């Protein structure tokens, strides 16, 4: 599967952005999906995950209550709705897909920059 993330940009603190990840290939619904982010000088961190059906999600404590992951299997897309953005949310955001069942994610998108100004 190939992944293409989009929707990043510059936003003021307290604002919102919606990231989208488009997946090519068949059987998108068999993949668990995730969003990661990496800020300059920091390690990549997991933002959240969604299972194949969209029924089960997980969020990092740092974004819980502010970010929402969803997916539309008919459109081969996964979304990250980001509300109440903070300057510390500034990072490159990546979507990832996996169906191997291991802790690692097999496929990665190219990343989209999110910058939150104070």
């Amino acid at each position: 599967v190939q992944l293409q993330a989009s929707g990043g940009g510059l936003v003021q603190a307290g604002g919102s952005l919606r990231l989208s990840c488009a997946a090519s290939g068949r059987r998108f619904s068999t993949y668990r999906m995730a969003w990661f982010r990496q800020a300059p000088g920091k390690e990549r961190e997991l933002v959240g995950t969604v299972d194949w059906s969209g029924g089960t999600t997980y969020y990092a404590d740092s974004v819980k209550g502010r970010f929402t992951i969803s997916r539309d299997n008919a459109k081969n897309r996964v979304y990250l709705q980001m509300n109440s953005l903070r300057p510390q949310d500034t990072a490159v955001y990546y979507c990832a897909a996996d169906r191997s069942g291991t802790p690692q994610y097999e496929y990665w998108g190219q990343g989209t920059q999110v910058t939150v100004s104070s």
Side-chain angles (χ1 to χ4, degrees):
V1 64
Q2 291 184 320
L3 305 173
Q4 179 82 27
S6 61
L10 174 64
V11 63
Q12 288 188 332
S16 299
L17 279 176
R18 187 194 195 203
L19 305 184
S20 177
C21 177
S24 62
R26 295 180 291 180
R27 306 189 70 186
F28 170 73
S29 63
T30 65
Y31 290 84
R32 63 185 176 125
M33 300 296 295
W35 286 96
F36 289 79
R37 67 185 181 185
Q38 187 166 20
K42 295 188 177 181
E43 292 188 354
R44 185 175 61 200
E45 65 171 339
L46 176 65
V47 174
T49 67
V50 61
D51 74 346
W52 67 273
S53 71
T56 301
T57 54
Y58 162 84
Y59 299 96
D61 287 344
S62 58
V63 306
K64 199 173 294 183
R66 300 187 298 122
F67 290 11
T68 303
I69 295 176
S70 61
R71 67 189 295 163
D72 185 337
N73 287 339
K75 295 182 178 179
N76 280 18
R77 286 185 178 266
V78 64
Y79 304 98
L80 180 66
Q81 178 66 44
M82 304 186 293
N83 298 328
S84 302
L85 283 162
R86 304 166 181 170
Q88 53 264 46
D89 294 319
T90 295
V92 178
Y93 284 71
Y94 300 89
C95 58
D98 180 76
R99 61 179 181 181
S100 68
T102 69
Q104 303 302 317
Y105 278 76
E106 295 178 280
Y107 304 99
W108 293 81
Q110 87 290 359
T112 185
Q113 175 71 47
V114 172
T115 303
V116 185
S117 63
S118 57

